[in-house]
Every structure is written in structure tokens, then in C-alpha cells.
Amino acid sequence: MNVKDLMTELERKHPGENEYLQAVREVLESIEEVYNQHPEFEAARIVERIVEPDRIFTFRVTWVDDKGIPQTNLGYRVQFNSAIGPYKGGLRFHKAVNPSMLKFLGFEQTFKNALTTLPMGGAKGGSDFDPTGKSNGEIMRFCQAFMLELWHNIGVDTDVPAGDVGVGGREIGFMNGMFQKLARQYHTGVLTGKGETWGGSILRPEATGFGALYFVEHMLKRDGKDIKDKTVVVSGFGNVAWGASKKATELGAKVIGVSGPDGVVHIPGGMTNPMIDFLLELRSSNQNIVAPFAKKFPEATFTAGKKAWSIKCDIALPCAFQNELNGDDAAELLKNGTWCVAEVSNMGCTPEAIHAFQKAGILFAPGKAVNAGGVATSGLEMTQNCMHLSWAGHEVDEKLHFIMESIHEACVKFGLNKNGSIDYVKGANIAGFMKVAQAMLEQGIY
Ligand code: 2IT
């Protein structure tokens, strides 16, 4: 394969889809060398096939707002790759959602899911619906209207959506209710991230953040370090940032900064448990601002317009959105002595930022490895649903630990540098790719 030629061809087929092209370029650059050692991959044109989604559904979603006015949004489901299992991946409700964003997320999901050790293909979906400022009733009506179309294309052995940005337990509840009504069947397993009383897995809300910290612990341990007493900053205040803050604090670290679209909150003494739980209140208020945190807790100070990356810290955890940490942010972190960055959001760092971290030789790991505990626990939820039982919290946690350790080992196996350090980007990309590519190869040309 020739990355340049492949990218030229892809740019022709998907003009202007920059996030999707960015995600593909990163994977191709990582796997090029290994791929070229496998003539059987080239003969089956695996790479040309793996970069394209299997299919995309686009649909109109019309719902009625609180003023009685009909509103129309666009809905999507990108079924990216099902070589190793049914399509699996979240739904994102955010005003910036478009086909390029969902293709990048579906592509990443394919490799991430392969890393989890579980049999799940990759997908992503969502809508340009903006939950900011919406009432509970509006959210419910939108979710129901969205499911009115989506339900035709999903199923326990076909495609199992979950949450992502703007979609949490509340939204999954509204969608599951409508799915049952339409299907006239109680399918516990058609969505994951369900409530605990109706088929959800214990620990699923925490799993992305918890898993990320288990991964960070392994990275640090391999480097002879410990997370205890280290300072951490996070961006965002959804389930992911909440789970990451909770586990980091439990492990003895101090979470001293959290940011939102409006600015950053600095908590020099570290977050307490009530502060961590307040993150969820911020999220469910649908205001999408972090400033109220500093009003509620006088120990914290809010600075408008600044990012979490402006705070001096040991460990930085992007937990909000793609490309939220750019080259300038990376330079600031490095100047302040940050020595570990783990993407908890999907593609949280720009290529310039990743390059700067790798050049500086600090610990860096990509989202598809770090945040895979979320979808892995979704996989565990699917297994429990299939078996019609619920595992206890400690059973799920044990499995999550095992999965995160396996992912770390896979990264080490494929990402070991000559100097003994680990290129986690390369390691995660090769490990995920090899599994999906092998599965595609063995199933013929289709
Ligand atoms: O990015 C992700 O891995 C998710 N949003 C979770 C997907 C899932 O199916 O649990």
C-alpha cells in the first residue's frame, strides 16, 4: 500500500470530510509497514475495503418543540464494519454532527471494538440535534422521533447503538421505550447503557472513565511511575469526565481542573466527591457550561475562555470532543511539565499535538485504546442480556480490569520502540487492524 495514493483516492471520494480523512490517515500511517509485510492483505485489497463504511442510513427527524413548532433535524447511522461481530457504537447528539464526523467515529470504533477482545463490529450514529437549552419533554420527543426511523436498522444481532456526546441514560431510556413500542417485543439487548432496572449493566456509566484510569495506571506502571498524589486535569463534564475524575481521585490523584465550552475551573486542592457528582448535574442541566461549578464551590475559581490545558498538571485527560487539544495547547502543557496525556475522548488531540508529545518523549495514548472500557462494558451488557442475568459490580469491574490490561498488552506488543518506550498510537492501530483484517481475509471478498 501507498498511503499517499490511498489518501488521494479517499479525498476524491469524500471531498472535504476532514475529520474522517484525519482518522484514516493516522491509522494508515501506523499500519503501513506491517501491512506491506502481508501480501495476502494486499491481494484481497483489505485496506481499500476497510476504510469505507459498509453502509450509511440518513433520515429526517421531525419533532415538535415546547412552543408547538415542528423542528426538523437530520439523523444518521453509519454501519462501518461487521467482520468480527454485529455493528456496535454510540449515538451522538450535537449540533456539529455530520457524515464526516460519524464516519471518523465509526472507523475508530471498528478498531477500538477489535481491541476490547469482544466480538463487536464498528458503527456510529446520531443527529445534528442540539440538546443545549432543551427541556426534558423536548429531549423525549426528539428521541422518540429519532427511533421512529432508526428502529428499522438495528437489532440484537444486527446493530446495537449506545450513548455518546449528548446521549446518556435518559436519552437511551426514551429511545428504548419507543423501540419496544414499535417492535412489539421487549428487547433488552437492542441498546446498551440502559438503566439498571431494565437490563443495564452495573458500572456502564462509569466504565469509560474507570477503564481509562486503569489504562493510565498500566502506562505509568510500565514507566516506573505511580498515579498517587499526581495532579490531573480533565475537559468536559459528561459521564466520561465524571468517571475519570472519580477513579483518579479514588486512586489517590488530585483532579485540579475541569473545563467546559465556556472556560475552565481550577480547584487547587483537588475535587472532592460532592464536586465530582456535581459534574453530572452540570451535564443534565442541558446548559453546557462549567461556570456554575465555581459558584457552588468557593474553593474553585472560574476563568472564562480558557481551556483545561492552561493549568499546570502532571496528567492531562481530554474527555470531551475530537481535536479539543491542539498544537498550541500541547506546547503549553509541555512547557508546564505535563508528562502524561491520555485521550479519553475519541481523537481528542490534533495530529500536531500528538506529534509534539511524541517528539518530547512523554507518555501519550490514543482514545481508541484509552476509552475502550466504555464499549467493552457495553459488550458485557450485551452478554448479560443474552444470558438473561446481571453480574455484580465486582464481576463487571474484574472483567473491565482484564480487558484494559489486555488492550495495554496489545499496544506494548505492537508499539514497542527500539529504545524500549511504547508508541501507543502505532500499537493500538496495528493491534486493532490485524484482528479486523484477518477476519475479513478469512471471510472472502464480499
Ligand atoms: O465512543 C464510544 O466508544 C462510545 N461512545 C461507546 C459505544 C458503545 O457502544 O458503548
Side-chain angles (χ1 to χ4, degrees):
M1 96 160 121
N2 177 315
V3 177
K4 202 165 164 283
D5 292 349
L6 275 166
M7 288 310 301
T8 307
E9 184 61 9
L10 214 63
E11 279 159 25
R12 185 187 64 74
K13 288 182 182 158
H14 306 270
E17 301 208 337
N18 294 332
E19 287 169 339
Y20 172 47
L21 296 167
Q22 177 189 337
V24 173
R25 187 178 292 107
E26 182 202 286
V27 170
L28 296 189
E29 282 171 356
S30 290
I31 63 163
E32 184 175 13
E33 197 184 328
V34 172
Y35 190 88
N36 288 335
Q37 291 160 4
H38 287 266
E40 70 280 19
F41 288 164
E42 183 69 24
R45 298 293 189 272
I46 295 289
V47 83
E48 285 82 348
R49 292 159 56 197
I50 214 169
V51 298
E52 294 289 351
D54 288 352
R55 66 191 68 79
I56 303 177
F57 299 105
T58 306
F59 45 93
R60 172 177 58 78
V61 185
T62 298
W63 55 284
V64 179
D65 72 15
D66 285 348
K67 296 192 190 95
I69 300 170
Q71 300 288 345
T72 294
N73 288 99
L74 291 174
Y76 308 93
R77 185 70 177 166
V78 177
Q79 296 184 335
F80 214 102
N81 189 298
S82 64
I84 69 167
Y87 300 107
K88 180 84 196 89
L91 296 170
R92 177 173 290 196
F93 294 168
H94 188 280
K95 60 179 184 302
V97 161
N98 61 28
S100 167
M101 192 191 294
L102 297 179
K103 277 188 235 174
F104 121 62
L105 288 162
F107 179 75
E108 290 287 286
Q109 198 78 44
T110 299
F111 300 102
K112 181 199 313 197
N113 293 3
L115 286 171
T116 64
T117 73
L118 303 174
M120 299 181 288
K124 207 82 189 189
S127 172
D128 62 351
F129 171 74
D130 181 5
T132 311
K134 299 292 187 297
S135 71
N136 211 44
E138 289 177 320
I139 299 224
M140 181 177 79
R141 292 193 294 280
F142 174 79
C143 289
Q144 292 176 335
F146 183 81
M147 190 48 91
L148 223 43
E149 276 292 331
L150 185 69
W151 84 283
H152 291 286
N153 302 316
I154 60 175
V156 269
D157 294 315
T158 324
D159 183 351
V160 183
D164 192 78
V165 175
V167 179
R170 169 182 49 189
E171 291 76 9
I172 293 292
F174 294 148
M175 287 190 270
N176 207 60
M178 185 48 97
F179 181 88
Q180 287 183 60
K181 177 97 179 160
L182 294 163
R184 297 196 175 181
Q185 238 171 6
Y186 194 90
H187 269 301
T188 36
V190 82
L191 293 168
T192 60
K194 298 181 292 294
E196 259 178 59
T197 56
W198 42 282
S201 175
I202 290 185
L203 231 64
R204 175 64 190 92
E206 293 88 344
T208 309
F210 279 22
L213 267 294
Y214 299 157
F215 192 91
V216 168
E217 271 193 301
H218 284 293
M219 283 171 86
L220 265 52
K221 190 167 158 217
R222 200 187 168 277
D223 208 47
K225 296 188 174 76
D226 182 357
I227 194 163
K228 204 166 176 312
D229 298 324
K230 303 300 182 301
T231 52
V232 175
V233 300
V234 302
S235 57
F237 39 81
N239 273 345
V240 176
W242 167 73
S245 302
K246 199 166 157 170
K247 187 51 79 178
T249 308
E250 255 177 56
L251 295 173
K254 282 202 295 184
V255 182
I256 59 164
V258 54
S259 62
D262 54 332
V264 66
V265 168
H266 188 198
I267 317 114
M271 279 208 236
T272 58
N273 287 331
M275 291 179 184
I276 295 169
D277 285 338
F278 186 68
L279 297 180
L280 293 184
E281 273 184 54
L282 286 177
R283 155 78 174 88
S284 61
S285 76
N286 292 344
Q287 296 308 308
N288 208 18
I289 49 173
V290 76
F293 189 109
K295 284 212 184 80
K296 183 156 173 90
F297 301 103
E299 308 91 305
T301 50
F302 172 71
T303 311
K306 284 271 183 194
K307 294 187 185 178
W309 327 128
S310 61
I311 295 176
K312 182 176 161 57
C313 63
D314 296 312
I315 300 168
L317 303 176
C319 295
F321 215 60
Q322 68 269 12
N323 291 328
E324 56 174 313
L325 197 163
N326 62 29
D328 292 341
D329 301 323
E332 190 161 11
L333 284 169
L334 289 170
K335 186 174 80 179
N336 283 334
T338 296
W339 47 263
C340 174
V341 179
E343 285 180 344
V344 194
S345 44
N346 293 306
M347 207 164 80
C349 298
T350 63
E352 295 72 33
I354 297 176
H355 186 70
F357 295 141
Q358 290 183 329
K359 196 162 157 235
I362 71 161
L363 292 172
F364 174 79
K368 67 170 75 67
V370 178
N371 73 28
V375 70
T377 307
S378 278
L380 300 177
E381 184 171 326
M382 289 164 71
T383 307
Q384 292 170 79
N385 292 162
C386 250
M387 295 164 75
H388 301 283
L389 52 71
S390 306
W391 289 324
H394 72 88
E395 291 174 285
V396 178
D397 200 33
E398 246 167 57
K399 290 179 170 59
L400 178 60
H401 265 289
F402 169 78
I403 288 169
M404 297 316 295
E405 187 178 0
S406 308
I407 298 173
H408 185 265
E409 271 172 20
C411 291
V412 170
K413 178 176 167 196
F414 289 105
L416 187 63
N417 289 320
K418 285 202 182 77
N419 67 4
S421 66
I422 306 299
D423 183 338
Y424 285 95
V425 175
K426 193 169 160 192
N429 284 334
I430 296 177
F433 174 82
M434 291 303 270
K435 184 167 174 184
V436 181
Q438 195 61 36
M440 287 174 71
L441 196 66
E442 288 172 18
Q443 292 175 77
I445 311 295
Y446 58 95

